[in-house]
Amino acid sequence: MRSTLQHPLQPIIFSAKEAHQKGWVVYDDQGVVSCSHPLVKEALAVDVATITPEHQYPLVFSSMSDLAKALSSLSNSPAMNDGRSLREKFDEDFQEYLTLMQSSQENGQWEPDYGTYVFDHVMGDLYSILPEEWHKVGLVTSTGKLLSDPEDKKNWFDVRNTLGGLSLGFIGASVGGNVIEGVMREVRCSHVKVADPDWIELNNLNRLERGSIRHLGQSRASRDDIRNPYEVRRYNKADIAAYYQNMVDPYANWFVYPEGLNSENFEKFLLGNGKDEPRLDMLIEEADDLSLKIEIRKLCRKHGIPVLMMTDFGHCAILHFQDFKNDPEMNLAFAASDEEILGQLDKALSSGNREEIFSFVEKLCGDQCIRGEFREWVHGRGEQPTSSLPQSGATAMISGGIGGKIVARYFLGHQIPSRLIYDFATGTVSE
Amino acid sequence: MSFSSIFLAKNAHLTQDQLPWSIKILTQQKFVELSKDPTSLTLEQLQYFAHFGVLAPTSHNTVPQRFKFAVEKSSIEIWLDRHFVLPVSDKVGRQALVSLGCVIANIELAAQTFGWEAVTDLVSIEPKYLLHIPDIDSLNRFTHIATIAFSPSITPSSPQVLKDMVDRKVLRAEYDKTVHLTDELEQKLYAVMDKYPGTYLHIIKNQLLMRTFGKFQENADRFVMENKAFAQELGEWLIPNDQILPPYAMKGIEFGFDDEFAVHIHQGLKGEKRLLPDQIMFFAKGGKAGIESSSAVAVLSVEKDDVSHRIDAGRAYEELALLLYRHNFFTSMHAGITEVDWVNATFAATVLKTRFRPTAVFRIGKPKRVIDGQRPHSARPLLEDVTLT
């Protein structure tokens, strides 16, 4: 269990058994919890947090019963190393839990020494959930064996271990948030990094995964002067993305860079810190910053880290994949040499000329990417309510799904093309 | 003989709007030789001081300063030409006063170089006399803001500051974010503020805060540029690269725009040509990117938003800018965040956590590309053209 928060909104997790033994969680006769876990005290700046039953969510039994229904009991239940099947192990653990639950009831305990407490200090809610092993199984079991290597030689555990052990990094959490969702649903890895310096705005809600009015500004209590209407505290996109993903899998380790990426933290983001923060297995790049796009590719190529970029242009979701791990000679751009793209970047940044910017985009992404209504916008034709690049929320969502598939399939050994254009206006896929 | 012919170096390659930057840096001896009486200043000497005031940075390069010379009192009067107060982006004349503060700072520092102490007295002014006046023939066009009186009572200071005034330029380019302000330099910057009670310096180096600041600036820029009147005004003051006269305003090259784009943006902002929404977005993002590339952002806030504090903000800015330039740092002002009231209030409350009004906001850094540091100076008029009789 963690002794520090990896990001400010991170749910605090601690073993139920340890919590009961150390007195971190104590129930009174009415079921009100007094919580004195060190991180909870720190997060709320109190000596003891009081959590009423309205804010307690005991989920172990319900989750166990969910798995009891979901896990296959047929002969093809995945085999574990000790010879038991997954289902058999579950049955034993479930029985053990039921026994514990009964004895704790008889002893007057509110909750048995089983599973993990999760304290969501953002909402003030206390959850008790399954131990990590079963919680993670629950998150991936419905995927079944849809994911496998090209020859289908890996067993289910091998597949899940391969994907679960990955360390993935995301730059950009706006459209990138959709890709995070797609990847996490498909891959469910344990180490994730996300960098985005931007805050959430109303106009982002058309495409922000899980975005809602909850995220348009912090509470009045967060102000230094609670009556000052100009004091607006915002939520960082990366923090929110990590928070919601952690509320799906509290056991996952999220490393958040709310300051974005810069020359001082590029290397740590990519290569880790040699201690708790690992090196990336892949970077998923969803940044707006043109020079950052090139800079990060240079570093990824240098360090052999593959780069996936999902771009949404109008009704097209465009995949670009640069496997720098297996092809360290690859160009930085899809449709230009390094010299050309660097020269074009310089023009785009230095002249301020719009045409130079789109020329950069075409060199980076290749031709045929700008089409349909999006092409009309590029050429300044038609009405334009937004002062920004128009983005379809549905395309962003689809990009997320595609991204998830690609990441999973790459690490299971499938060939990934360097570019695919999914055009939902025409219903075509092209390279 | 005119000031220009005496003090400006002859250079056939210089266009008229660049000529003021060719001011000869006089030695102490040469300066003294301009007068027979070491206890009083001649017109030429006063003009020499004032010329450095011409070189001072001003909002949108409007050059709103005008001078009157009172030889018998060894003083220079600083006047505001209200026709050059921007009616849309500087509604109350705040930035015009900040600009005059820069002018005053340069003159004071120039005088000190030659051993003359400068004491500046402000004139009591009603706010309405700071506002833009459209009629160039109006009798109320000029407002007397301050008088700088000189007395020969101090040891001459280093002439380096004069060279800095001539060489320095506002640089709206991407800076090298790997360059940091040293603690020692930061302390020197804060020490400058001792002269300006009621005006406060905040130096922001934290990356997250700088990004937040950049976002505020972007929001301010996008808000105002979507405003037709503001865009029109900016278009009038952001001119094509080859436009020599009139000798003020900002050229596109100062923003890194090539000739074609400079014309396009000038015409687009004025409404003569279509400017697309994303072009406005990119323009605003450029300001944000510039901020994020900086070594630091500095904010001067004032405890009272009145004439004297606005002028002090300008004086402080110019002293800080010259000190920074001596350490090879450039600066670039960001007025959007100070003049859009709701952005200003949000920025002050959320980022600076101050109740005082941010009045001058500028970024600090060294250019990422050497070539950016070699951009031409912005235009300046000749001293005789900004002297009132």
Side-chain angles (χ1 to χ4, degrees):
Chain A
M1 299 283 152
R2 300 175 200 111
S3 58
T4 55
L5 289 181
Q6 289 166 328
H7 58 93
L9 305 182
Q10 186 178 39
I12 299 163
I13 61 173
F14 44 98
S15 146
K17 184 174 180 180
E18 190 180 8
H20 298 151
Q21 285 174 348
K22 290 187 174 175
W24 289 337
V25 171
V26 176
Y27 294 81
D28 71 11
D29 292 341
Q30 307 302 312
V32 176
V33 163
S34 296
C35 182
S36 57
H37 185 279
L39 287 179
V40 172
K41 288 179 359 180
E42 184 186 319
L44 299 182
V46 296
D47 288 329
V48 175
T50 301
I51 307 165
T52 61
E54 289 79 12
H55 288 278
Q56 294 173 31
Y57 299 88
L59 303 175
V60 175
F61 177 69
S62 55
S63 298
M64 277 289 193
S65 58
D66 293 341
L67 284 180
K69 176 176 73 74
L71 287 176
S72 165
S73 58
L74 297 177
S75 60
N76 56 355
S77 177
M80 306 193 61
N81 290 340
D82 58 9
R84 291 180 293 171
S85 71
L86 180 65
R87 179 69 204 203
E88 284 169 343
K89 182 171 194 306
F90 170 75
D91 286 337
E92 286 172 25
D93 284 9
F94 191 16
Q95 191 53 55
E96 189 184 314
Y97 170 72
L98 288 172
T99 307
L100 262 177
M101 192 167 79
Q102 188 162 354
S103 66
S104 67
Q105 286 280 297
E106 288 163 2
N107 294 336
Q109 264 180 275
W110 282 82
E111 288 294 323
D113 292 345
Y114 186 86
T116 304
Y117 280 115
V118 179
F119 183 62
D120 173 9
H121 60 92
V122 176
M123 302 299 288
D125 295 328
L126 181 69
Y127 301 82
S128 52
I129 65 171
L130 291 174
E132 182 171 1
E133 178 190 9
W134 290 119
H135 186 83
K136 284 196 187 283
V137 164
L139 294 178
V140 298
T141 192
S142 292
T143 311
K145 189 79 176 355
L146 291 176
L147 292 169
S148 192
D149 56 301
E151 293 82 35
D152 196 20
K153 286 188 175 158
K154 286 185 186 293
N155 66 29
W156 185 84
F157 278 106
D158 287 341
V159 169
R160 292 321 325 179
N161 286 336
T162 298
L163 298 179
L166 292 173
S167 170
L168 302 174
F170 296 84
I171 303 178
S174 186
V175 167
N178 291 271
V179 186
I180 289 173
E181 181 69 22
V183 168
M184 293 312 291
R185 287 185 187 187
E186 205 76 344
V187 175
R188 197 52 66 191
C189 54
S190 294
H191 291 86
V192 194
K193 306 189 195 189
V194 58
D196 195 322
D198 205 3
W199 64 56
I200 297 171
E201 295 175 345
L202 174 61
N203 46 295
N204 297 148
L205 297 189
N206 86 318
R207 61 192 181 278
L208 192 73
E209 181 62 34
R210 300 174 202 267
S212 75
I213 58 174
R214 282 188 177 161
H215 312 118
L216 299 182
Q218 296 181 31
S219 74
R220 186 187 297 276
S222 68
R223 294 175 178 172
D224 287 338
D225 174 356
I226 64 170
R227 294 192 69 151
N228 188 346
Y230 295 105
E231 194 177 337
V232 179
R233 305 226 171 262
R234 302 281 202 156
Y235 283 112
N236 172 267
K237 286 177 182 171
D239 280 339
I240 290 294
Y243 167 68
Y244 278 105
Q245 291 298 331
N246 258 150
M247 289 305 291
V248 173
D249 181 4
Y251 297 103
N253 295 294
W254 281 79
F255 301 89
V256 180
Y257 288 63
E259 72 275 29
L261 291 191
N262 52 63
S263 55
E264 292 177 0
N265 63 15
F266 269 147
E267 296 243 338
K268 181 163 164 270
F269 187 83
L270 295 178
L271 305 177
N273 62 3
K275 289 179 278 191
D276 58 327
E277 188 173 332
R279 176 196 161 102
L280 292 184
D281 294 305
M282 181 185 283
L283 175 75
I284 296 95
E285 188 271 283
E286 303 296 328
D288 301 335
D289 185 319
L290 303 185
S291 56
L292 175 61
K293 283 176 167 319
I294 298 301
E295 212 50 49
I296 204 72
R297 277 169 174 74
K298 281 186 195 170
L299 285 170
C300 284
R301 186 169 64 182
K302 178 183 169 189
H303 295 294
I305 297 174
V307 176
L308 170 68
M309 178 173 71
M310 292 303 306
T311 308
D312 56 315
F313 282 155
H315 304 305
C316 290
I318 306 162
L319 175 165
H320 284 92
F321 184 62
Q322 288 161 297
D323 191 354
F324 292 126
K325 181 178 178 184
N326 293 311
D327 187 355
E329 305 298 316
M330 271 189 106
N331 287 342
L332 296 171
F334 181 79
S337 66
D338 286 2
E339 195 182 334
E340 285 170 340
I341 195 67
L342 291 172
Q344 190 56 49
L345 175 66
D346 201 52
K347 283 185 200 169
L349 295 179
S350 59
S351 75
N353 198 314
R354 193 172 185 262
E355 281 69 35
E356 301 293 0
I357 292 169
F358 285 111
S359 187
F360 172 86
V361 170
E362 290 213 316
K363 284 182 162 64
L364 184 70
C365 299
D367 65 355
Q368 300 297 314
C369 288
I370 297 175
R371 47 173 89 173
E373 287 88 340
F374 188 72
R375 188 175 191 79
E376 293 299 293
W377 172 79
V378 168
H379 290 290
R381 293 189 282 260
E383 289 181 305
Q384 177 60 281
T386 179
S387 57
S388 307
L389 191 110
Q391 289 180 279
S392 158
T395 308
M397 191 178 256
I398 295 166
S399 293
I402 295 169
K405 283 281 178 232
I406 296 300
V407 172
R409 289 174 64 78
Y410 172 77
F411 285 105
L412 290 173
H414 294 270
Q415 280 291 106
I416 307 297
S418 55
R419 186 179 83 162
L420 280 177
I421 303 174
Y422 298 80
D423 186 334
F424 298 102
T426 60
T428 56
V429 182
S430 55
E431 294 193 28
Chain B
M1 291 179 79
S2 71
F3 177 91
S4 309
S5 62
I6 302 170
F7 294 109
L8 301 184
K10 288 180 177 38
N11 188 331
H13 300 293
L14 284 179
T15 50
Q16 183 168 331
D17 64 338
Q18 292 290 305
L19 212 51
W21 296 101
S22 72
I23 180 81
K24 296 174 188 170
I25 306 294
L26 299 179
T27 61
Q28 179 69 18
Q29 184 179 341
K30 286 283 184 199
F31 181 80
V32 167
E33 284 172 3
L34 291 174
S35 173
K36 295 189 175 98
D37 177 2
T39 64
S40 69
L41 292 164
T42 61
L43 176 62
E44 286 81 12
Q45 288 173 318
L46 288 172
Q47 287 175 328
Y48 191 72
F49 290 164
H51 185 87
F52 291 97
V54 171
L55 300 184
T58 57
S59 170
H60 277 42
N61 200 31
T62 43
V63 196
Q65 64 270 35
R66 303 292 178 261
F67 305 104
K68 275 191 187 177
F69 301 101
V71 177
E72 67 286 0
K73 294 180 188 174
S74 286
S75 67
I76 300 172
E77 292 178 5
I78 309 296
W79 289 70
L80 173 66
D81 186 339
R82 293 167 60 191
H83 186 65
F84 288 84
V85 175
L86 298 167
V88 179
S89 59
D90 192 18
K91 282 191 164 50
V92 300
R94 182 180 296 109
Q95 291 304 311
L97 287 177
V98 172
S99 301
L100 294 192
C102 296
V103 170
I104 291 168
N106 270 14
I107 293 173
E108 289 174 341
L109 290 168
Q112 286 163 20
T113 301
F114 296 102
W116 288 80
E117 186 180 11
V119 175
T120 301
D121 285 318
L122 300 182
V123 176
S124 177
I125 308 159
E126 284 178 54
K128 64 180 179 181
Y129 293 115
L130 300 172
L131 307 182
H132 171 75
I133 207 159
D135 179 8
I136 60 170
D137 295 319
S138 167
L139 293 175
N140 293 320
R141 182 175 154 188
F142 301 101
T143 300
H144 185 194
I145 300 295
T147 299
I148 310 174
F150 305 97
S151 56
S153 53
I154 61 174
T155 308
S157 59
S158 168
Q160 178 62 41
V161 72
L162 299 181
K163 192 165 185 315
D164 292 339
M165 287 182 205
V166 171
D167 291 342
R168 179 210 61 81
K169 62 186 83 142
V170 166
L171 189 61
R172 299 178 187 86
E174 187 184 0
Y175 292 155
D176 184 350
K177 61 176 93 172
T178 65
V179 173
H180 302 289
L181 282 187
T182 62
D183 290 342
E184 189 194 344
L185 178 54
E186 202 175 325
Q187 279 168 23
K188 284 183 184 175
L189 295 172
Y190 279 114
V192 165
M193 303 310 297
D194 292 342
K195 290 164 65 175
Y196 305 108
T199 304
Y200 305 97
L201 174 65
H202 317 255
I203 296 177
I204 301 168
K205 297 188 299 185
N206 174 277
Q207 284 289 323
L208 202 52
L209 281 179
M210 282 175 59
R211 294 242 181 199
T212 305
F213 168 65
K215 185 81 182 181
F216 277 116
Q217 180 62 39
E218 182 189 1
N219 286 353
D221 282 346
R222 287 174 73 164
F223 176 77
V224 297
M225 290 183 76
E226 296 285 359
N227 176 289
K228 210 168 165 185
F230 179 91
Q232 169 85 22
E233 182 181 89
L234 180 60
E236 284 162 8
W237 289 90
L238 181 53
I239 59 178
N241 294 339
D242 58 357
Q243 190 171 319
I244 305 300
L245 295 173
Y248 38 76
M250 307 172 291
K251 291 195 177 64
I253 185 68
E254 296 165 38
F255 289 80
F257 301 155
D258 60 26
D259 293 349
E260 191 186 332
F261 191 69
V263 170
H264 183 85
I265 201 91
H266 168 69
Q267 292 175 342
L269 288 169
K270 286 176 65 179
E272 293 168 5
K273 207 171 181 172
R274 190 168 172 214
L275 204 57
L276 294 166
D278 62 291
Q279 287 177 302
I280 293 173
M281 179 187 79
F282 284 128
F283 194 93
K285 276 196 183 297
K288 174 171 167 266
I291 287 164
E292 290 171 0
S293 73
S294 303
S295 306
V297 168
V299 183
L300 291 164
S301 59
V302 294
E303 66 184 24
K304 205 172 168 198
D305 187 23
D306 59 13
V307 170
S308 70
H309 287 91
R310 293 171 188 174
I311 287 178
D312 273 356
R315 291 164 80 188
Y317 164 68
E318 182 61 358
E319 271 206 64
L320 295 168
L322 289 169
L323 175 58
L324 284 161
Y325 185 75
R326 194 141 340 123
H327 289 82
N328 302 313
F329 283 94
F330 288 84
T331 62
S332 176
M333 278 275 215
H334 287 271
I337 208 163
T338 54
E339 295 311 312
V340 179
D341 285 342
W342 61 266
V343 175
N344 186 298
T346 306
F347 175 59
T350 311
V351 177
L352 297 183
K353 302 189 187 193
T354 179
R355 288 185 176 277
F356 300 146
R357 189 193 174 98
T359 299
V361 178
F362 57 101
R363 59 189 176 97
I364 299 166
K366 298 185 182 180
K368 189 173 181 184
R369 285 176 286 268
V370 171
I371 195 168
D372 287 338
Q374 295 162 356
R375 290 180 190 168
H377 277 106
S378 48
R380 290 292 190 277
L382 300 174
L383 177 64
E384 36 261 54
D385 294 332
V386 291
T387 298
L388 300 175
T389 51

